[in-house]
Amino acid sequence: MYRRQETFELKTGLYNPPYNIYRGSLYNLGIFDTSSMSDPLYQSAQPLGDAWDIEAAGTLGEDIRKGILPAFITRQTVAAIASAFCLCRIPRGGLEQRELVRILFAQQESSRLSVSFENEEALADHSRDYRSLAWRFLLELMLASENEHLGNHHTLVYILTHNFVPSTEHPAFHLSLQTWRWIAARTFFERGWTQIFARTMHVLKQERDGLTRQMLRQQLQEDYLVEHQNEPIDSLVQEVKSNRHSSTWLLERFEGKQRRDYLLCICIGLIAASEDKRQYTTPILGKLWKRGPIPFAQEYSRLEQSIQSNAHASTLWAAIAEESLVQHFQIALRKMSSGNPDTLLVDFDAGQWRIPEKSENVVPGAANGFTRLDIGLRWAQQLGLVESPSKDHFILTEAGLDCCRKWDSEQRS
Amino acid sequence: MSISLLEDLQAGEYETAVFLTYTINLRFFELMILPRLRRMGVSRIGVLVDQRGYQESLADPLAQEFCGQGYILAPIHLPHGGIQHAKLLWLQKHETITAYGGSHNLTMAGYNDQVEITARLTSRDQGHTQALRELHNMVSSIVPPAFDYVWSHTKAPPEIRIAPTVQVLTSYSRPLIEQIIDHVHTADKLRVITPFLDAHALQTLAGAVQAQTVVLDLPKDGADIPLLEAIDALPDLQPRFLADRQNRRLHAKAYQFTKANESWLAIGSANCTQAALMKSITEGGNLEFLLLLKDTALSDDLNFTEIADPVTFPYTGRNWDSSPLPPSAISIEKASYKGGRLSVEWKLAEKGTVSDITLYADGNRIPYDLESATSVSLELPPRVITLKTAINGSSTETSAWVINYDALDQKVSHSKLHQWVERIASNDPGQHAGSIALWLEQGIQELLGVQHEAASTQYQIGPAQKRGDLPSVQKSYEVFAYSADPNEIQTHAKVLLENYSSVDPLVLLRVLLIRFAAEPSSDVPGNAKGYDDSYYSALPHNFSKRQSASQNIVKNLCRQLNEVVKTKASSIVPEQTFVTGLCILLGAIVYICLDAMKDSGRKDEENLTQHFIHFLEWLVSQSQVNHALQNPRVMGPLLLSIGAVATIAERCKDSDLYPQLRKHAKMLVQADPRQAITTWEQLDPEGSKRFLTLLRQQNIWRQIEPHLLALFEIAPDYVRRQIEHRWGFLLKLQEADIHLSPDREDLFAQAKVRCPDMQIWACYDAARRTKRLPVLFHTSGNSCSQCHSLLPTQLWQRLKKGDAVICDSCRRILIL
């Protein structure tokens, strides 16, 4: 829209309308049948269409009802009816809200929830059931964590320190918690890893001509020892083992700015995931342990070997630092080879690590704790399932509690 | 000369690729270059690298996977200790050669990050033939025996008597500076671009050509020596540095010699140093190449700025290009694996006492019986051989990559089918654009009856096999569009091409377009976080890449259409072949318009429309076409292609294009398009269904129909119904008014209430009152049926939607 333009033509037959970006999600939610030319509503989503308050759309709503759009629309009209079309303003307590909840929670539909998470194709086939499980899990988290500080890494710390799913619940529910615990552990690990990578970049930037592998390791060790004593790695591991159930300690490590905090974040991730794998013996945890561009299995083995050889923290720091460069190189190149933009920040050329000129001014960021749970939380608020009495504190509304009850009764029946 | 090698290696078809480089990053090569080569059909690949680069590759922390198995990496030992500094990429298939010579090493920096200058030589340009012959002879004289596996499949182009437009200078037998003087003699002005500098070499070069003015262009962080050294040698030197907007490092090397009436440009690997310019390799100098071009200037896209204060200008202190590895006391001369046997040959120091020789294959000790060779049977091929020994009591070791001929043979024997499978599995839209170009080129050659002895057409891939238990085409299309698993994509591509390409010539293009439009997969499997937060997650959007690839697809289609219209269809081509070829081209036009032009710009749309109009003209002019067009199997695709181009022609700013398209379309097709399509569907139900199906679009005719009918000025049925519904009462009233029917007043009263547009009603009412009826008319196109004035686009669009409009010129009411 041009700033001073007052009237706009409503064009039909646009080649690539912006709404296309929602088509995939709407298809997956079983709302739009995108296999047909005009993307009609699936029959099961018809009530959602009916629930939309067409009155709120004013004269345009009336035109939509008739099936013929006007050729032009004024800025004033757009401003007046905008909220009727806004995806993030669902009328509170209305039919539309209830219909959305019905679709998201797959209510009144036969459920085939199983614990076959390890079979990803089967998971895709039952995506509706697992979507519903994910929502139920989110509500359970809200229910259990009343008055706790949530959001971003606070949510992950809560998940790591609380086994909040009642033992009577469906096994898939427990599996959901286990996999979210893995994500929490992985996020701690990524937090430490990305901060070590950023620090390594900083060290390399000081050397315009680059550093051989040996020189890089030496400089990194020295860089670690500027802040800390060279303690054995085992003492870091013991510290993690004794504190890993303390929310305060975990939050301090996640937010910590010391190089030792970065190493501890890595240890927290590895040890938490390792203990869960041992305790739950779920196949999916075994698979997650081995996969990914930086598999936990490989990094845990590095940790164990370092302990066995009585290595010190600065040695582990330097080893992880170089590995972070290697992994960054591999992943950035792999992405680039798939046609993605060039994101490579380091180079290894003629036996030396160096920072190319193009990334001299780039400071890589650290992984944060924002997850899909945070996105879900915002949705749950719009759907009237959750309320926030104060910042970062959430409680279930009566509608949220009702959703939990319905889900539980459907699963247990 | 501003060639992006990564972009250039997207298209073309070759069998052999040979690289010469000083340094190498194997991981970069394997991830960024090797897949490109495979998709270009290259099966024999070799890299010749300086000894230092070879040794460094063995200690590289970035894991490589295919060295010795997918390609050969071999070191070059120059007899007098100089370093292999030449950079070359030689691509060959039969007589077709493309060679890139310049300053780029086979590294990320060389191919992507730095400012390099590279020239492309091609066997298609006869002025390059002599240079290609010289380069081939030069490389032939230095390749080690192990490299014959690759190099013996190249050959120099045959000698011709045409004057060369480019000369090749190498330091193989004479210093480069002497050869430069032979050609250039003298120059008023010398411009040198170099990241490494030797003041003496610069002074000698300037003196040798008697240059009055010398401009020296350096990287922004300076050369390896202080600039003052060069100024001491040449006090009038005009130094500059590269102020690059993208902050890239200057690694290019170039020499521009200018005098009153001529100029010479030399580009290549040679820095302005003594080791590069002033010594041949027999004198211990580097192996360097320079390409010398007459009356060619460097492009001015590089922005150099004068160095105001040479005293404070920085320098790097690096001195890489004159520091060869010290001669090794031991060396592995051969390490190969073939038929389950590992063969190793080595050479020990001639002086000194050698003891404790041990040999390791991937760290495992292996036995040997002879003094300097062994051949042992091994079930699994090793990757690296290490030789350890003690000379005069001090231990030393060396390693070499094992050349696994079994694996290499397997790569070579991979069929054409495999190349297309790899092309399909790529995630890079640029690669798909290249593959589509190749597909089109081969299809057009078929259409025009151009046969190549070695190139079979792309749609006859693989034998047709029995159809039992095959995945459906639709299922495979879903996999190509949505799967992130390359193995799954490859499996489906193989099955589809093996079993369907012989019955559906367009299947490959359809698959390539589906892959082109597919979103790239995430690299972090199991990422449940729903966002790319970690440092290694690249920006997820692929828009700009796809946009540029889309432009390339359109450009190539236009180029091919241009080729077609310049040719006369061969009368020796059987009609069936011509019909098949025509259908392939028409199908390509339809699919590209529908699927590959979502991100293209107006210019591309106008360009394609223009070329398509020329193509329609060409069709009219071909004698074979008239007969072929009687065949509904041709008429159907032709109509669809006209309709598909109409969809983009409607968006063109050039208002002449659409009427031109209409004119030529009507010249070719007189029948009602809907009937023609129905006849085609009845006559060839399977073929038409295949043609009309694109991924989730079960029938693209539905998408094209309104645009085609609009082009042919036929209102679609639903618009007719809408017109009847909205304006039927007015037509009825007009009829009654004209014939003074008794019910006309009732009809008038009803119409007054019912008319949806006050302007239209006012216009009708005025005409009725002034007895100027009839005022409501049908029109069939974007001009008034009564006064023949061209209607503004906005009115035409409204007419097409079923509205009634008033002609600005004669004030009559028009409906379709």
Side-chain angles (χ1 to χ4, degrees), chain A residues 9-13 15-16 20 23-24 27 34-37 68-72 120-121 156 179-180 182-183 186-188 190 193-195 197-198 208-210 213 288 291-294 322-354 356-361 364-373 375, chain B residues 6 22-25 27-29 31-32 35-36 39 56 59-63 105 107-110 112-114 220-221 246-249 314-318 320 426-429 431 488 520-542 544-545 592-595 597-599 605 647-648 651 696-699 702-703 707 722 726 794 797-798 801 803:
Chain A
E9 189 183 351
L10 281 183
K11 288 183 182 168
T12 53
Y15 204 60
N16 195 11
N20 273 0
R23 285 180 84 221
Y27 169 75
T34 55
S35 62
S36 297
M37 271 285 288
I68 297 163
L69 286 179
F72 294 91
E120 286 171 22
E121 276 194 17
L156 300 177
T179 44
W180 272 109
W182 184 85
I183 290 165
R186 184 80 201 177
T187 307
F188 262 91
E190 284 178 6
W193 187 274
T194 49
Q195 282 172 314
F197 173 73
R208 202 171 49 171
D209 290 349
R213 298 184 65 191
L288 291 169
R291 79 176 185 189
I294 309 163
E322 193 187 11
E323 186 61 24
S324 75
L325 296 182
V326 170
Q327 290 302 333
H328 167 75
F329 195 95
Q330 309 262 34
I331 293 165
L333 268 192
R334 196 162 63 236
K335 280 180 174 285
M336 201 176 158
S337 70
S338 301
N340 284 301
D342 172 15
T343 52
L344 188 58
L345 302 177
V346 295
D347 196 10
F348 187 79
D349 194 354
Q352 291 191 311
W353 284 110
R354 58 184 293 272
E357 281 75 359
K358 65 180 179 185
S359 40
E360 267 173 0
N361 300 320
N368 61 31
F370 186 86
T371 67
R372 281 192 176 151
L373 287 176
I375 299 170
Chain B
L6 286 179
Y22 170 49
T23 59
I24 184 168
N25 183 321
R27 197 59 186 150
F28 163 78
F29 177 66
L31 278 169
M32 296 296 293
R36 282 171 162 76
R39 287 190 282 266
E56 282 166 354
D60 193 332
L62 304 162
N105 284 309
T107 59
M108 179 72 177
N112 188 66
D113 295 346
Q114 297 178 151
K220 78 161 191 221
D221 57 351
Q246 292 157 286
N247 200 21
R248 294 170 301 168
R249 180 177 162 71
Y315 68 100
T316 64
R318 294 177 195 145
W320 285 350
S426 165
N427 279 328
D428 185 346
Q431 292 279 4
E488 191 184 21
S521 58
S522 162
D523 258 308
V524 191
N527 175 11
K529 300 180 74 177
Y531 71 114
D532 276 328
D533 60 339
S534 40
Y535 70 89
Y536 48 73
S537 293
L539 292 171
H541 74 83
N542 208 23
S544 59
K545 186 90 183 170
I592 287 172
C593 285
L594 295 187
D595 247 29
M597 295 192 67
K598 290 193 173 79
D599 303 324
E605 289 164 351
T647 63
I648 59 168
R651 305 195 292 263
R696 286 198 165 156
Q697 299 175 55
Q698 301 290 339
N699 192 340
R702 297 274 164 260
Q703 189 177 344
H707 302 276
Q722 184 152 337
R726 295 179 77 183
Q794 205 175 39
Q797 296 290 349
R798 287 182 56 200
K801 286 201 288 185
D803 281 353

Side-chain angles (χ1 to χ4, degrees), chain B residues 485-533:
Chain B
D485 178 358
N487 293 332
E488 191 184 21
I489 293 169
Q490 286 189 352
T491 307
H492 277 263
K494 193 164 177 287
V495 172
L496 200 71
L497 295 182
E498 272 177 346
N499 296 286
Y500 294 100
S501 59
S502 54
V503 286
D504 182 5
L506 283 163
V507 73
L508 185 51
L509 175 67
R510 223 175 276 131
V511 169
L512 286 169
L513 283 168
I514 292 170
R515 294 289 301 139
F516 169 77
E519 284 297 325
S521 58
S522 162
D523 258 308
V524 191
N527 175 11
K529 300 180 74 177
Y531 71 114
D532 276 328
D533 60 339

